[in-house]
Structure formats: C-alpha cells, structure tokens
Amino acid sequence: MSGSVRRFRPSLWATLFTVPAVLAMLGLGTWQVERLGWKEDLIRRVHERMAAAPIPLPASLPEPEALDLRPVTVTGRLLNDRALLMIARPRQGQMGYEVVTPLQRADGGPPVLVNRGWIPMDRKEARRDGPPGEVTLRGVARVPAPAGWMQPGNTPGAEVWSRLDPPAMAAALGLAAVAPVVVEALPGQSSPGGPAGIEPRVDLPNNHLQYAITWYSLAATLLVIYVVFHLRRRSDP
C-alpha cells in the first residue's frame, strides 16, 4: 500500500484538466438539485391553481400571468363566423385542428379567444358550429407561449395557424384588440360533432434529478480514470 502511495505522482497537465472539470461537474450537479426543488414547488403551485374554483375572467387584465392556468368562466356571444383553425396533434391516428373562436364579452371587456378544442381535418367546417346567443363557458386561462426558434411561424391571411398569437389573430379577424389570455374551453360544452373541448393540460417536465445524478456520476468517473491512469503510468516499466 505504501509503495502504491509513493508511486502516485499526478502529472501537471492531467491535474490541471481534471480538477476544474470535476469541480464544474459537481457544481452543475448541485445546480440541478436546486432546480429540482424549484420545479417540484412550481408543479405543486400549478396543481393547486388548476384545482381552484373558477372565477369570472376579469374585464381588465393588466397582469395576465397572474391568471395563467387558472380556471375561469367567461360570458358572451361566440363569433362563430370568425372561427380560426390551428394545427393540432393527431388523435388516434387521425389528423385534425383546434378551433379558436373569438367571444364578444357581455361585461364590456375586449373579446377573448376561446380554444374550443379538436375537430377532425375532414370536418373543418364544424368550426362554425357553436351555440348562438349568450353563453357562459368554463375553461382554463392560458397565456400563449412565445414562439420557439424552431417553431414555424404563422402566415398572415392563411386559413390554418401554426400557433396562438392573439394580436396577430385579432388583426386577421378585423378586431381592434383581444384579451392577452386564451381560454381553453373544458369538454362537454359543445353539441355532438362540434369541437371536443380541452382537458386541463400542463407540460412541466421534471428531469432535474436525472441530470444531477448524471453530472455527479461523470465527476466520479473522471476521478476514477484520473487515479487509475496515474497508478498504471507509474507501475508501467
């Protein structure tokens, strides 16, 4: 054992590479542990908000983020003749669209876009099927996410939209303005064959524990390689 210790003489360049690399990996692993706690708290708060009782959508929304993912009700008249189509994920192998319809609010607030849910691609005319007169819809308020750098943009004047963009949609519909949130209508509020509504959905992936384990494992592996390399190097005649 003592002979092995005497033979272990780290080389300068290997040490200059290994020590900063191990410290960086340990730091990244610790950062992921901190992110894990933040994400778990965020998920808890999101589920608490989505489980809350619905509130009427305020006429004025100076801070729309405060209502994101909050159950709401909205009363007014659906402008079914101005309904838009948006690209949607397939359902059971069938292509389709999501129907986005402006609702003229009874409280005098600006119109709000209502995502009424999925329809098959071959029934796109069903986007105009909506209850006439004043209705009260239940849904979840969502603040549209900004466009991703790899996400296709919307084409002005196109029949089908790639993503939610309230200001651009308002301009295309000839509306002066719309609310900064979109209400995702819950299922069970359309006639048979109409838009299916949207189950409450939230996508908050939580992979921080896996990332932390990966970084700590890489740090440990590099240390083992560092030690074994020098032991073999000194024992090699």
Side-chain angles (χ1 to χ4, degrees):
M1 181 67 179
S2 61
S4 298
V5 172
R6 285 196 300 270
R7 288 197 300 269
F8 187 78
R9 297 179 180 176
S11 64
L12 176 62
W13 291 111
T15 301
L16 289 176
F17 168 79
T18 302
V19 172
V22 169
L23 291 176
M25 293 174 187
L26 292 175
L28 288 169
T30 301
W31 177 64
Q32 289 296 337
V33 171
E34 294 172 352
R35 293 281 293 175
L36 173 64
W38 168 80
K39 181 60 71 68
E40 289 177 342
D41 180 64
L42 175 63
I43 291 174
R44 176 187 59 78
R45 287 187 284 113
V46 164
H47 284 293
E48 287 178 353
R49 176 175 293 191
M50 295 186 71
I55 62 171
L57 186 71
S60 176
L61 294 170
E63 297 181 0
E65 291 77 12
L67 273 182
D68 193 29
L69 296 170
R70 180 68 191 264
V72 297
T73 60
V74 61
T75 300
R77 182 172 59 88
L78 286 167
L79 306 180
N80 294 302
D81 58 332
R82 301 192 189 187
L84 301 173
L85 296 173
M86 192 171 64
I87 294 173
R89 295 179 180 178
R91 285 193 176 187
Q92 299 177 346
Q94 187 176 11
M95 303 296 291
Y97 305 108
E98 288 184 354
V99 178
V100 180
T101 305
L103 180 140
Q104 187 68 55
R105 301 173 63 180
D107 59 9
V112 58
L113 297 177
V114 178
N115 188 338
R116 300 180 59 216
W118 189 89
I119 57 171
M121 185 171 286
D122 59 0
R123 295 198 67 251
K124 63 181 181 181
E125 293 305 318
R127 69 182 184 272
R128 298 188 176 93
D129 295 342
E134 188 171 282
V135 296
T136 297
L137 298 176
R138 295 173 292 106
V140 176
R142 299 297 302 262
V143 175
W149 69 278
M150 293 188 65
Q151 187 176 10
N154 292 316
T155 302
E159 182 182 24
V160 180
W161 293 69
S162 299
R163 65 179 185 87
L164 287 168
D165 187 343
M169 288 178 165
L173 294 171
L175 299 173
V178 293
V181 300
V182 174
V183 174
E184 294 185 345
L186 295 171
Q189 302 181 88
S190 291
S191 58
I198 298 178
E199 293 287 349
R201 55 187 179 181
V202 59
D203 185 17
L204 291 174
N206 187 7
N207 300 315
H208 298 294
L209 179 60
Q210 175 185 339
Y211 296 153
I213 292 173
T214 298
W215 283 118
Y216 287 143
S217 299
L218 288 172
T221 300
L222 184 56
L223 278 176
V224 170
I225 293 173
Y226 174 78
V227 173
V228 171
F229 168 77
H230 286 94
L231 289 177
R232 289 184 175 180
R233 180 169 176 264
R234 292 302 177 182
S235 63
D236 187 356

